[in-house]
Amino acid sequence: MQMEYLFNDWAWIDKKIRGQKNVVLLCDYDGTLTPIVDLPELAVAGKDIIKCLRRIAGKNKVLLGIVSGRAMSDIKERLSISGAIYAGNHGLEIEGPGLKFVHPLAEELNSILRLINQVLNKAMKDIRGVIVEDKGMTLSVHYRLVDEQTLPEVHRRFENIVRLPRMMGKIKTTAGKKVHEVRPAIPWDKGKAISLIVEKYVPKHRRKDMVLIYLGDDRTDEDAFKVVNHMEGISILVGKSEQQTEARYYLNSTQEVLTFLLELDKLL
Ligand SMILES: [Mg+2]
């Protein structure tokens, strides 16, 4: 399906949201609320975006959640929006008012993740620019800063390490923006995390009066877009209009995400 530029369809969005009693706004973090930067620790959401999110989260009819590949404690610390829900590690850990969820299999597979983390660190030590990030339940190997000609070596070493545990069904690997991710092999993703959040916070009888909005920019957000479309929500990709995606709408940049949030705030 062809994506539509969000602001071209604003009259419809306005109609769908204005006066709505239950608004669930869920956002990815990196690349959605922050521009993509070289070092993951430097990715910071702008003050204006955080201020706007706080204002939105403070409204009675709104439930705000951040659904990120980062560790939950990391996004929580970066945003510290009271009353918000934080889903970290692609939803393997979720925390919000009255909710503390850790996927049971994630705990079980933790020792393997620990081992792979050690081996990856050793294997990548002599390659400049590789950052092995230990996010507790998942691992990320960032290679944005690696020289072009060294990249094949990074991929080769990574594959060598992950091949066996992946074959054994213990882990799965995904490729994001200049990053390899290692996750425990659990049939779980951002889409399932969203379903859990809705189930927990929006009682069944109120779901028909609910509008669910999701903003994301990367491949792991596709599972979220699918679930949001299924719930007749508003799925928004932060990216290029010609991108292959499940999202129904797109915005060009994190700057436009801020514009959207400011406009959304007026409708709530
Ligand atoms: Mg992202």
Side-chain angles (χ1 to χ4, degrees):
M1 210 159 107
Q2 191 68 31
M3 267 194 303
E4 177 112 42
Y5 181 51
L6 185 79
F7 294 120
N8 283 350
D9 213 6
W10 194 253
W12 185 83
I13 302 276
D14 182 308
K15 206 173 133 207
K16 196 168 164 75
I17 296 171
R18 200 184 285 273
Q20 192 63 256
K21 289 192 207 84
N22 298 298
V23 176
V24 182
L25 172 64
L26 302 174
C27 308
D28 165 53
Y29 184 76
D30 293 84
T32 300
L33 299 179
T34 76
I36 293 285
V37 293
D38 285 343
L39 289 165
E41 60 260 41
L42 295 182
V44 181
K47 277 197 187 104
D48 293 339
I49 266 193
I50 295 180
K51 232 167 81 186
C52 188
L53 285 173
R54 285 206 177 114
R55 211 160 50 230
I56 290 173
K59 303 191 184 206
N60 275 336
K61 59 169 83 166
V62 178
L63 189 67
L64 173 74
I66 309 296
V67 186
S68 170
R70 287 179 182 259
M72 193 194 62
S73 54
D74 185 5
I75 34 167
K76 204 171 159 186
E77 204 181 289
R78 274 160 200 278
L79 289 167
S80 68
I81 299 170
S82 63
I85 301 158
Y86 298 96
N89 279 311
H90 305 278
L92 288 174
E93 41 175 0
I94 307 175
E95 213 177 285
L99 174 69
K100 236 186 165 105
F101 167 85
V102 175
H103 198 291
L105 280 174
E107 276 177 312
E108 220 177 284
L109 291 170
N110 200 258
S111 52
I112 293 166
L113 264 285
R114 299 295 97 232
L115 191 63
I116 295 171
N117 180 46
Q118 274 180 23
V119 180
L120 277 173
N121 267 296
K122 233 183 221 158
M124 300 293 182
K125 219 164 81 186
D126 61 331
I127 301 181
R128 255 174 86 122
V130 178
I131 301 163
V132 181
E133 188 190 1
D134 183 359
K135 298 188 290 185
M137 281 176 202
T138 63
L139 307 169
S140 293
V141 179
H142 301 272
Y143 52 86
R144 186 173 295 273
L145 297 175
V146 175
D147 287 339
E148 198 69 39
Q149 67 269 26
T150 321
L151 281 179
E153 184 59 20
V154 174
H155 301 324
R156 199 186 61 79
R157 290 187 194 183
F158 178 79
E159 263 310 300
N160 275 344
I161 293 165
V162 297
R163 191 178 296 127
L164 190 60
R166 195 175 54 209
M167 255 170 56
M168 290 165 70
K170 301 292 185 191
I171 59 160
K172 51 185 176 181
T173 57
T174 49
K177 286 179 182 167
K178 306 274 183 193
V179 61
H180 287 299
E181 305 214 64
V182 182
R183 300 198 244 164
I186 299 170
W188 196 256
D189 52 50
K190 286 185 171 185
K192 295 207 170 62
I194 289 179
S195 300
L196 186 143
I197 290 169
V198 170
E199 226 146 86
K200 165 78 189 169
Y201 288 99
V202 188
K204 238 187 189 142
H205 66 277
R206 276 168 52 198
R207 271 177 227 159
K208 55 178 182 336
D209 300 318
M210 168 190 81
V211 59
L212 177 61
I213 307 168
Y214 186 85
L215 295 110
D217 74 305
D218 213 340
R219 275 184 230 176
T220 58
D221 296 304
E222 293 297 324
D223 302 305
F225 293 145
K226 274 185 224 166
V227 168
V228 171
N229 293 342
H230 187 71
M231 296 188 195
E232 292 174 23
I234 303 170
S235 50
I236 307 166
L237 175 85
V238 183
K240 304 228 160 42
S241 60
E242 65 273 12
Q243 230 157 297
Q244 265 304 328
T245 177
E246 296 284 335
R248 299 274 158 86
Y249 291 99
Y250 73 93
L251 289 170
N252 289 302
S253 62
T254 52
Q255 191 53 47
E256 287 191 356
V257 171
L258 174 61
T259 310
F260 164 67
L261 292 173
L262 290 168
E263 289 304 314
L264 176 68
D265 184 31
K266 294 181 200 161
L267 297 180
L268 298 169

